[in-house]
Amino acid sequence: MARYEIRLPGDQCKHRACSAAPPAIPSRQAPMPHTHFRTCSLCEAMCGLAIELDGNRILSIRGDEEDVFSRGHICPKAVALKDLHEDPDRLRRPLLRRGSDWEEIGWEAALDLAAERLLEVQRAHGRDAVAVYQGNPTVHNYGALLYGQMLVRALRTRSRFSATSVDQLPHMLASLLMFGHQLLLPVPDVDHTSFLLMLGANPLVSNGSLMTAPGIERRLRALRARGGRLVVVDPRRTETAAIADTHLAIRPGTDALFLLALLQVVFAEGLARPGRLAPMLSGLDEVQAAVREFTPERVAAATGLSATEIRSLARAFAAAPSAVAYGRVGVSTQELGGVCHWLLYVLNAVTGNLDRQGGAMFTRPAIDLVALGDRIGQRGHFAKGRSRVRGLPEFGGEWPAAVLAEEMETPGSGQIRAFVSLAGNPVLSTPNGARLERALAGLDFMVSIDPYLNETSRHANLVLPPVSPLERDHYDLVFHVLAVRNTARYSPALFTPPADAREDWQILHGLARRIGARNGSGLVSSWTTRAAGRLGPRGLLALLLRTGPHGRGLRPWGRGLTLKALEAAPHGVDIGPLTSAFPQALRTADRHIALAPPVLVADLQRARTRLARAESEGGLSLIGRRQLRSNNSWMHNSERLTKGPDPCTLLMHPGDASARGLAQGDRVDVRSRAGQVQATLSVTDAMRPGVVSLPHGWGHHRPGIRLGVAAQRPGVSLNDVTDEGEVDVLCGTAVLSGVPVEVTRVPPPPAP
Ligand SMILES: Nc1nc2c(c(=O)[nH]1)N[C@H]1C(S)=C(S)[C@@H](COP(=O)(O)OP(=O)(O)OC[C@H]3O[C@@H](n4cnc5c(=O)[nH]c(N)nc54)[C@H](O)[C@@H]3O)O[C@H]1N2
Ligand SMILES: Nc1nc2c(c(=O)[nH]1)N[C@H]1C(S)=C(S)[C@@H](COP(=O)(O)OP(=O)(O)OC[C@H]3O[C@@H](n4cnc5c(=O)[nH]c(N)nc54)[C@H](O)[C@@H]3O)O[C@H]1N2
Ligand code: SF4
Ligand SMILES: [Mo]
């Protein structure tokens, strides 16, 4: 087993500021309260927390006013870190299935068994018969992120999946095709812009995504206070739309048409002014030609927006001293999501707003994942292979999550027979979760690395639970890369984990080591695996910081960032505002920004079809939503987050309700091609007519889960209605927005 640091009781954390406090050794005197500072690891905002303790008891969790970046901002989820840590339902030891029961077993036995069974399946059915799915929390857990790669390499399977294909894949695709690197993701410079055009995002609730900006509401209000303008494009008048200057209630799934028309106006009216980017652009003429046919007048009916609105928006955007177009999940997970993110980047570029202050900018964080990707030869790739059953393209070595069930169900060489879920709950988070459940039940073997027995892990043969987030150290490898300011902050573990607990990285390394030793991949003897085991994530982190763009290097002396320096700065280190990065940062072969990648231009054929189809469209279209006190599918076992009114209602416009004879509070059936759920109706004019909304991440009514609180208020799963058959065929991203549905009243039970 890898080296594991042992700390003395009371020696809770290593920050100098924290350890200055008296240790929590039991004594006759009341122990002195002690404050621990750390970064919240639940969402992308990286809020600094001040956790007040009395011995090992958490007294309070507040925002850290001195955090160099978040300046005291937090949301209600941070306080639920206490609930998560103390949750009796959170698993502490490996669970082995025995029929319909579970038995706790020791770690060595559990890791041996998992490795042996996975190898058995690979020996019988080939390497690709074992699939791995990596869920969202891996990007909030640097140990899981670094050592998850090691497990995948040890398994040598091509059956890799993650939440990327139900999320940000189109952003990464546009970055890969236009800038030459899938991680060169531009961030809206929200603190300096004069014009933010936001599509399919609701940061007042999500706290920002691919835009780490803690306290986003304050930042958006500041934008308006300095005379800037916020325009929100969303089929629902969201919490963010409510504080915007303009809300455009677009028809779901038509953002590509809207963006094409904005660009058409920019070109037709001679508003394209790329400025310093001009010599770096290639394909400008091709883009101009490609968008020519999409006039505001032609797309108006399809998008549900007026031609005048679109035209004046294009003019205002182009005329603003600085402006940025930003799109997120609502435009990523739609039929033309790939095209949408391409066009968003193009709009920023041709108006001169890419890579300049107030526009869409690139970070220079302490650990530069872009440069790291270069070093290991991984800038990303796309469509190097096609999925076995449906022929959808790979992206970055992964298949779309929407094909997971069919790859498990369809016999033949390459059929998935065993499954590893790492920090994921695809039953609730990928389209047609009910079908995926049936597929999981038919597997030969499944292991879940997860702290809960939930909708997905209940299908496993073995559940391997990691420690709580407060029992491990934390550094945001990913979200510092996506932040609106360059900062760095390291958080030591708050609590020493129990002796028989394992961190994610230890579980993953343990599995990788065993598998590597037995399948002859030579991994066990490889220098990197042994070194990685000895170093642990903390050692790797120290190395990455030293060798990063602001690091001290490997010399023992000199200036620059080290892990030690971060440990001495419990409120984080400010590195400075974002600065221009092009052309140096560009990774395309010709060091140009490729405005017209051929596959994207070709995909406009589907935009034409979409435009034609819009004329015949009627009926209701279902979209999702997020909620402030919820975190995807997994924070619902906290009483404090789930109390209050039913969060899982179907929102519908009053006109649509009365047309169907429905009223507030009715129980309704929501039915699509894929499935059906029941929910309580909430009638609101915040919805665009013709569009209904359900939150995602609920549906805790499944038998056999161990989530006592969540099961009391289960809600229903939006992904029992979304359709795994509907993807953006360009890149395989699931279509989670704009699902055609019928809504009818649930007949009252017959009178007795
Ligand atoms: N319809 C619809 N579907 C969606 C979305 C949507 O907007 N609409 N959003 C999509 C998006 S953006 C995302 S990112 C995905 C998320 O989808 P997933 O990543 O599949 O699921 P999560 O709900 O984040 O579940 C996380 C799981 O990890 C476990 N977990 C939490 N912390 C840790 C940890 O530190 N270590 C380990 N090993 N496990 C941990 C939790 O118990 C839970 O089981 O959902 C997607 N699905
Ligand atoms: N509280 C909370 N915070 C979270 C999460 C959470 O579950 N809860 N999840 C985290 C994760 S994993 C992510 S990826 C981020 C996501 O962060 P955001 O992208 O900001 O998340 P959403 O709130 O889902 O916003 C998507 C918006 O798109 C709109 N939309 C739907 N369809 C369309 C369409 O066709 N066109 C347009 N223009 N808009 C459309 C929806 O109405 C919704 O308001 O949030 C993160 N933060
Ligand atoms: S906004 Fe995100 S990072 Fe900040 S406290 Fe809430 S969950 Fe944590
Ligand atoms: Mo996400």
Side-chain angles (χ1 to χ4, degrees):
M1 200 68 238
R3 187 175 73 90
Y4 190 52
E5 207 179 334
I6 295 169
R7 266 169 280 135
L8 298 170
D11 182 13
Q12 276 130 341
C13 76
K14 293 192 138 192
H15 277 147
R16 275 183 213 159
C18 300
S19 51
I25 292 170
S27 77
R28 265 182 227 150
Q29 295 163 326
M32 292 273 288
H34 157 230
T35 304
H36 164 89
F37 299 101
R38 71 185 291 105
T39 307
C40 175
S41 56
L42 291 175
C43 90
E44 303 182 30
M46 298 201 303
C47 297
L49 307 179
I51 304 183
E52 206 196 352
L53 296 147
D54 184 352
N56 278 338
R57 208 159 56 85
I58 297 174
L59 299 177
S60 70
I61 300 181
R62 286 171 295 110
D64 175 6
E65 304 282 345
E66 291 172 76
D67 182 283
V68 295
F69 193 24
S70 65
R71 303 270 174 220
H73 178 266
I74 55 164
C75 85
K77 288 188 294 301
V79 187
L81 280 169
K82 172 178 158 70
D83 308 345
L84 182 60
H85 181 69
E86 293 168 359
D87 189 348
D89 286 340
R90 185 168 60 77
L91 306 177
R92 267 76 171 173
R93 309 197 67 212
L95 284 188
L96 175 66
R97 173 190 298 286
R98 295 260 188 231
S100 56
D101 284 340
W102 294 92
E103 181 194 329
E104 282 196 359
I105 63 170
W107 278 103
E108 293 301 305
L111 294 172
D112 284 344
L113 181 77
E116 199 39 62
R117 294 292 307 275
L118 292 172
L119 286 168
E120 224 172 79
V121 169
Q122 285 190 317
R123 276 194 292 265
H125 305 286
R127 289 177 194 169
D128 298 338
V130 173
V132 181
Y133 173 92
Q134 291 181 254
N136 170 274
T138 49
V139 292
H140 298 275
N141 179 334
Y142 82 102
L145 196 64
L146 294 170
Y147 290 77
Q149 292 314 308
M150 199 170 287
L151 174 61
V152 170
R153 267 194 294 136
L155 283 167
R156 295 186 298 174
T157 174
R158 282 177 303 176
S159 302
R160 295 171 49 194
F161 299 83
S162 81
T164 290
S165 53
V166 284
D167 191 348
Q168 81 291 352
L169 195 161
H171 297 247
M172 295 171 76
L173 178 66
S175 292
L176 177 66
L177 298 178
M178 295 175 71
F179 312 140
H181 198 304
Q182 62 177 2
L183 292 178
L184 267 173
L185 296 162
V187 179
D189 186 13
V190 61
D191 292 340
H192 303 106
T193 193
S194 339
F195 198 120
L196 176 53
L197 170 60
M198 184 183 293
L199 287 76
N202 186 15
L204 256 62
V205 164
S206 69
N207 279 294
S209 184
L210 301 193
M211 171 179 67
T212 290
I216 187 67
E217 178 166 1
R218 178 173 44 80
R219 293 173 200 266
L220 293 177
R221 289 191 190 276
L223 152 69
R224 295 194 58 203
R226 65 178 176 263
R229 195 171 155 198
L230 172 63
V231 177
V232 171
V233 182
D234 197 304
R236 177 166 77 91
R237 190 173 65 247
T238 59
E239 295 77 355
T240 310
I243 66 155
D245 298 271
T246 310
H247 169 220
L248 300 177
I250 195 167
R251 275 178 70 181
T254 63
D255 298 81
L257 301 174
F258 164 71
L259 291 165
L260 283 163
L262 289 181
L263 278 165
Q264 192 277 338
V265 176
V266 167
F267 285 120
E269 301 192 0
L271 307 174
R273 282 191 199 90
R276 69 174 263 279
L277 293 178
M280 296 174 226
L281 300 181
S282 71
L284 189 61
D285 295 342
E286 286 97 315
V287 168
Q288 179 161 2
V291 306
R292 191 167 289 140
E293 68 193 272
F294 297 95
T295 60
E297 289 71 20
R298 278 198 67 209
V299 307
T303 56
L305 305 173
S306 81
T308 323
E309 272 173 328
I310 298 174
R311 198 173 293 281
S312 68
L313 178 65
R315 290 174 184 157
F317 187 90
S322 64
V324 58
Y326 159 78
R328 207 42 278 277
V329 149
V331 284
S332 306
T333 52
Q334 55 170 271
E335 190 183 338
L336 289 162
V339 165
C340 281
H341 287 283
W342 165 47
L343 297 173
L344 284 161
Y345 288 10
V346 172
L347 182 60
N348 289 327
V350 300
T351 53
N353 285 302
L354 182 67
D355 193 42
R356 82 145 177 222
Q357 198 182 60
M361 302 193 77
F362 299 89
T363 54
R364 197 156 179 272
I367 296 177
D368 184 356
L369 296 185
V370 175
L372 221 59
D374 287 341
R375 252 186 268 162
I376 57 173
Q378 279 188 13
R379 290 180 173 174
H381 47 81
F382 166 54
K384 298 263 188 259
R386 295 267 155 191
S387 70
R388 187 177 63 103
V389 180
R390 214 188 308 179
L392 290 175
E394 64 81 35
F395 182 85
E398 291 179 4
W399 304 115
V403 309
L404 197 45
E406 71 200 24
E407 294 291 338
M408 291 175 176
E409 289 168 348
T410 312
S413 157
Q415 180 185 6
I416 295 171
R417 309 287 290 258
F419 186 51
V420 182
S421 73
L422 166 59
N425 193 2
V427 166
L428 295 191
S429 58
T430 67
N432 202 347
R435 177 178 176 190
L436 180 61
E437 286 207 282
R438 291 192 294 276
L440 293 179
L443 292 173
D444 296 344
F445 182 69
M446 172 172 165
V447 52
S448 285
I449 302 167
D450 203 288
Y452 284 107
L453 196 54
N454 66 13
E455 298 73 20
T456 297
S457 59
R458 75 186 176 108
H459 293 283
N461 301 83
L462 194 58
V463 186
L464 305 175
V467 300
S468 104
L470 300 180
E471 291 168 335
R472 59 172 150 85
D473 68 338
H474 177 73
Y475 182 86
D476 273 290
L477 269 188
V478 173
F479 299 105
H480 282 117
V481 180
L482 301 168
V484 301
R485 195 173 169 91
N486 293 314
T487 63
R489 183 169 164 159
Y490 172 75
S491 313
L494 167 53
F495 297 122
T496 308
D500 62 346
R502 296 287 184 278
E503 293 186 38
D504 279 282
W505 76 271
Q506 296 174 303
I507 300 170
L508 293 161
H509 186 259
L511 286 174
R513 211 167 45 90
R514 284 168 173 80
I515 290 166
R518 290 171 216 182
N519 74 354
S521 67
L523 201 93
V524 69
S525 59
S526 89
W527 182 83
T528 46
T529 305
R530 270 185 292 136
R534 221 168 302 128
L535 281 172
R538 214 181 107 83
L540 288 174
L541 180 67
L543 197 63
L544 292 172
L545 284 167
R546 272 184 178 267
T547 54
H550 310 281
R552 179 177 292 182
L554 296 174
R555 302 177 309 273
W557 62 90
R559 292 157 64 87
L561 267 186
T562 58
L563 181 54
K564 224 180 187 149
L566 288 188
E567 282 182 322
H571 309 291
V573 170
D574 186 40
I575 302 175
L578 307 186
T579 49
S580 294
F582 283 175
Q584 292 79 8
L586 280 167
R587 300 300 202 275
T588 44
D590 61 359
R591 296 258 159 181
H592 278 58
I593 300 165
L595 289 182
V599 285
L600 290 167
V601 176
D603 210 32
L604 287 183
Q605 189 46 46
R606 288 196 304 130
R608 283 182 204 104
T609 319
R610 183 73 185 77
L611 186 55
R613 198 180 77 212
E615 283 160 26
S616 58
E617 272 173 344
L620 289 174
S621 175
L622 175 67
I623 63 170
R625 68 178 184 273
R626 284 181 157 70
Q627 296 152 318
L628 190 58
R629 291 191 294 147
S630 165
N631 197 23
N632 293 329
S633 73
W634 71 279
M635 289 291 286
H636 301 156
N637 216 42
S638 158
E639 195 90 53
R640 105 176 67 213
L641 291 186
T642 49
K643 66 183 178 209
D646 176 11
C648 209
T649 55
L650 183 80
L651 307 183
M652 183 186 269
H653 187 271
D656 292 323
S658 63
R660 286 165 182 75
L662 298 172
Q664 176 76 18
D666 281 352
R667 288 294 290 171
V668 290
D669 261 326
V670 184
R671 203 173 314 111
S672 72
R673 184 206 70 91
Q676 172 180 350
V677 295
Q678 287 186 358
T680 300
L681 190 71
S682 180
V683 178
T684 163
D685 68 2
M687 290 310 298
R688 186 193 152 80
V691 186
V692 289
S693 156
L694 265 183
H696 92 280
W698 300 87
H700 309 295
H701 54 275
R702 269 92 166 153
I705 63 169
R706 200 179 287 177
L707 292 162
V709 176
Q712 301 289 313
R713 327 204 62 211
V716 291
S717 175
L718 169 57
N719 287 320
D720 285 343
V721 186
T722 55
D723 190 338
E724 83 288 12
E726 295 293 324
V727 297
D728 176 351
V729 293
L730 169 72
C731 54
T733 313
V735 173
L736 304 172
S737 264
V739 179
V741 288
E742 277 176 35
V743 178
T744 50
R745 185 187 291 105
V746 177

